[in-house]
Amino acid sequence: MLLHFEIVTPERVVLKQEVLQLTVPTKQGEITVLPHHIPLIASLQAGVIEIVMPNKQIETMAVSGGFIEVLPTKVVILADTAERAADIDEARAEEARTRAQETMLEKKEHVDFTAIQAKIAKEMARVKAVRRHRGRGSHTT
Ligand code: ATP
């Protein structure tokens, strides 16, 4: 039994394919979706998405926020940004996080702390996705 899965950002379709199941970070906590899950719509939190492919391989992705729509045989994620772990430049994410943390510490006026916190969470999700992917021994692709 497979689910039609699609994850899109304003820029592109990041992944569109049949999957066995997926685990997603929502604002209410992590949810695992299998075929015939109850229909729902939820807001996403920055974090890691794990997708189990038909061949049982796990695809790890980083997401910064957005929405998930779950239907009995279809799941659509509209993400602010999303990347496959294999495509993430870890050094870039680490640098961006460091820059954001430095801006936060400068405590200047006109600094949008909510935006900086969101940026830090987004970069941390990227780093976490890369590390989890690497930890699984997926060095290729
Ligand atoms: P940075 O702060 O590193 O310059 P940015 O703020 O420009 O990044 P985003 O707005 O989060 O980055 O994303 C812009 C585009 O770049 C998106 O398509 C996103 O998927 C991609 N991207 C951002 N960071 C990375 C990364 N570390 N590895 C791979 N792709 C990334």
Side-chain angles (χ1 to χ4, degrees):
M1 191 78 215
L2 296 170
L3 272 169
H4 301 285
F5 174 61
E6 208 174 310
I7 177 164
V8 299
T9 68
E11 292 170 349
R12 64 199 172 102
V13 177
V14 184
L15 195 75
K16 182 178 178 172
Q17 76 156 85
E18 311 271 296
V19 306
L20 281 170
Q21 68 173 70
L22 64 149
T23 301
V24 180
T26 77
K27 290 201 168 142
Q28 288 78 38
E30 203 163 74
I31 57 166
T32 294
V33 180
L34 290 116
H36 302 299
H37 191 285
I38 41 161
L40 67 85
I41 290 182
S43 303
L44 298 181
Q45 202 169 33
V48 175
I49 298 179
E50 289 193 314
I51 305 150
V52 183
M53 297 298 177
N55 65 4
K56 305 276 169 66
Q57 280 233 340
I58 296 175
E59 176 81 63
T60 309
M61 303 188 75
V63 68
S64 59
F67 295 94
I68 180 170
E69 180 185 31
V70 177
L71 297 168
T73 59
K74 187 177 179 185
V75 175
V76 178
I77 291 181
L78 303 176
D80 298 330
T81 63
E83 302 90 29
R84 299 173 61 207
D87 296 333
I88 292 172
D89 179 339
E90 187 180 5
R92 176 176 165 187
E94 286 281 22
E95 281 161 24
R97 177 174 65 156
T98 305
R99 272 200 311 275
Q101 278 167 338
E102 283 167 1
T103 309
M104 181 97 124
L105 291 172
E106 282 168 16
K107 290 199 181 104
K108 282 193 185 140
E109 274 178 57
H110 314 301
V111 168
D112 183 344
F113 286 101
T114 310
I116 295 176
Q117 260 162 353
K119 173 79 174 160
I120 292 171
K122 170 160 75 173
E123 302 302 345
M124 283 173 70
R126 285 175 174 144
V127 172
K128 194 169 158 190
V130 174
R131 294 194 178 152
R132 204 177 284 180
H133 176 68
R134 199 191 297 132
R136 236 182 238 115
S138 314
H139 297 280
T140 52
T141 69

